Amino acid sequence: MRIKILFATFLLIGILANAQGRRKNQSTISGQYGYILDKDDLKGGFMVKGGYGRVFGDAGILGKAEGFYQKYDVKYLDNQILPYEKYGLNVSAGWSYEGLAPVMINFYGGVYGAFEKANGGNQNDPLYNAEIPVKVTGFTYGLTGSAELEILIVRRLSFVADYTQYYDLKSDFSKSNFAFFGGLKYYIN
C-alpha cells in the first residue's frame, strides 16, 4: 500500500513539474459537464458547455466564447413542474490569478443569448390543459459570471472546475440558475 501511495505521489509531482504556465496569445478549446442543483423543491438538472478561449498578453486577461445546453425543471402555476431547456452562446471576458501555477484561478463575466423551450414546446399546461399566457418557446438573454479553478496536468492539458451563475433578463420561466462544472481545457498552441 505504501508503494502505491509513494508511486502516485511521484507521478503527481512529475505531472505537475512538467506542466507549464500560460503564454500570451494562446488559444484553448474546452468541454465541461455541470450539475444544476435542486432549489425550491424543484429537481435540478444538467448542463454541458464547450468553447474557444484566448489568452491576451501577459497580464492574465482572458476571453472565451462558449456554446451551452441546459436542461432542468421550472415551477409554474399551482406547483406545476415544467421541463425547461435552453440552447445558447455566451461571450465572456476574464482575468486569471497565476501566482500559484500550475494552479490558476480564473474569473469571467459576460453576456449570453439563447433559445428556450418550456413544457416541451406545448402551449397548454399539464394540470388543467389551459393555455399558458406567455410563449413557451423563444429567445432569451442575460448575464453570466463564473469562478474557475484550472490545474495544468500536462504541457497543454488542464483540468477545470467552476461555478457558473446565469441571470435571465427576459425569460418568463427561468430567472436565475447556477451550476458546478468539471471538464478539460486543451491549449492549441
Side-chain angles (χ1 to χ4, degrees):
M1 184 66 173
R2 282 181 144 177
I3 293 175
K4 289 180 184 178
I5 293 172
L6 188 60
F7 177 74
T9 302
F10 282 123
L11 180 64
L12 182 61
I13 290 170
I15 288 172
L16 293 177
N18 289 320
Q20 298 175 355
R22 291 192 192 110
R23 298 181 320 272
K24 66 181 177 179
N25 300 325
Q26 278 187 302
S27 296
T28 65
I29 55 173
S30 63
Q32 294 178 284
Y33 179 84
Y35 182 69
I36 300 168
L37 299 177
D38 296 348
K39 64 180 183 177
D40 300 329
D41 298 327
L42 296 181
K43 182 181 175 204
F46 73 93
M47 182 174 173
V48 293
K49 61 183 179 176
Y52 171 81
R54 184 111 171 133
V55 177
F56 296 99
D58 292 322
I61 305 299
L62 307 172
K64 68 178 177 177
E66 294 177 314
F68 65 86
Y69 171 73
Q70 299 178 351
K71 184 174 183 176
Y72 55 99
D73 294 329
V74 294
K75 194 173 187 177
Y76 184 63
L77 183 68
D78 291 337
N79 293 323
Q80 295 181 70
I81 305 298
L82 304 178
Y84 180 82
E85 295 178 276
K86 187 185 303 178
Y87 307 84
L89 176 68
N90 74 26
V91 178
S92 299
W95 177 79
S96 179
Y97 176 70
E98 300 177 358
L100 303 172
V103 176
M104 292 169 280
I105 302 169
N106 308 323
F107 300 96
Y108 291 97
V111 296
Y112 73 88
F115 177 79
E116 68 177 353
K117 179 170 63 171
N119 200 30
N122 186 354
Q123 196 63 45
N124 294 335
D125 72 46
L127 184 60
Y128 303 113
N129 199 28
E131 185 173 332
I132 298 173
V134 295
K135 290 176 62 175
V136 295
T137 60
F139 181 76
T140 186
Y141 55 87
L143 304 173
T144 182
S146 61
E148 177 181 85
L149 177 68
E150 179 178 352
I151 302 170
L152 293 167
I153 300 172
V154 292
R155 184 176 180 149
R156 292 185 174 192
L157 185 67
S158 295
F159 169 76
V160 289
D162 77 43
Y163 166 85
T164 301
Q165 179 76 48
Y166 292 87
Y167 295 101
D168 294 306
L169 299 176
K170 185 178 181 283
S171 177
D172 291 312
F173 296 96
S174 177
K175 297 300 176 200
S176 175
N177 64 55
F178 62 92
F180 292 99
F181 290 92
L184 296 173
K185 183 184 287 185
Y186 180 75
Y187 286 85
I188 300 169
N189 53 353

